[in-house]
Amino acid sequence: MATLPNTLALIGNTPLVFLKGPSDAAGAEIYGKCEFANPGASIKDRAALGIVEDAEARGQIAAGGTFVEGTAGNTGIGLALVANAKGYKTIIVMPETQSREKMDTLRALGAELVLVPAAPYSNPAHFVHTSRRIAEETPNAVWANQFDNIANRKAHITGTAEEIWAQMDGRIDGFTCAAGTGGTIAGVGMGLKAKDETVCIALSDPYGAALYNYYAHGELKAEGSSVAEGIGQGRITANLEGAPIDTQFRISDADGMGWVTRLLAEEGLCLGLSSGINVAGAVLLARHLGPGSRVATILCDTGFRYLSTLYNRGWLEAKGLAVPPWLASA
Ligand code: PMP
């Protein structure tokens, strides 16, 4: 096996693994892209690297500069790691309502944390607007702006989509995943369509998000709610503009958790809930495309990030979600 030239080269080139349970359930071949294998243990390392290198290419940041972002989760982790590897600093703005583990993780990686009270998006004190202001006021700083900076989806056009196409040997009938910023679904969708216009791109939307209704009926309208982190969008972000969505499914947390539990118990994969929702969507897409179809989806992040939630009996009970047998007495 060859060596890699530096730690940033660890981002991407993730394995694509055959998922037996979902494939059997659909009578098809379902494959999961192992994004938990990135250094920051999520899909967002790709977007973080793409955004940082785009700012460098545009001459927006000088040596020792600072990347600022409003995020509570995986993007902050990815940005902190990429910034460290390139000699930049990171300021992460998050609502003070976020979990203690997330604050501890970001501090542990070296990010400067700015906590703000939770506020609606329309309020200038919202964490996203606060992060933009801090970037404007900080010398030699760039606002990562993951929702509307299309360097995010470009990382998936040139990276994730190319890799999936090569790993599937160009024999792929469908792709599905959920949207947070929309960078993954739009970027992979555009990249795969450029190879083969007939690849079916499906959005798997959680409840509480507005995109299912938008693609199905042309109206941004949310119904219900979800506890899934990192996904669930209420507007057409710049990353979602022009996304080639052919069809859409709405997936409940219970169905997503069903696959999270089965993939751990039967296949030894410990994942977060967005991965479970993606796999549930992949089963629906494969059934829609017919017996023997070949479908890829994204395994977005590691379940180790959710020990106090998805893998905690008390939390699951409080949310009305099924408790796996091995946690019933834990
Ligand atoms: N799953 C998780 C756990 C995430 O953190 C994200 C990022 N927001 C996504 C899925 C969705 O990715 P994207 O932002 O590319 O739509």
Side-chain angles (χ1 to χ4, degrees), residues 43-44 74 152 156 178-184 229-231 274 300-301 306:
I43 180 99
K44 298 306 299 205
N74 287 325
N152 170 358
H156 296 292
T181 64
T184 311
E229 296 187 27
I231 57 173
S274 65
C300 312
D301 70 351
Y306 307 100

Side-chain angles (χ1 to χ4, degrees), residues 6 93 153 198 208 242 310 318:
N6 57 56
V93 186
R153 80 176 180 201
T198 68
L310 306 178

Side-chain angles (χ1 to χ4, degrees), residues 26 55 70 83 86 91 115-116 179 195 207 236 243 255 257 273 284 300:
K86 284 177 168 281
I91 300 177
L115 298 178
V116 295
K195 303 282 186 192
Y207 280 85
I236 301 300
D255 286 350
M257 277 308 293
L273 180 49
L284 295 181
C300 312

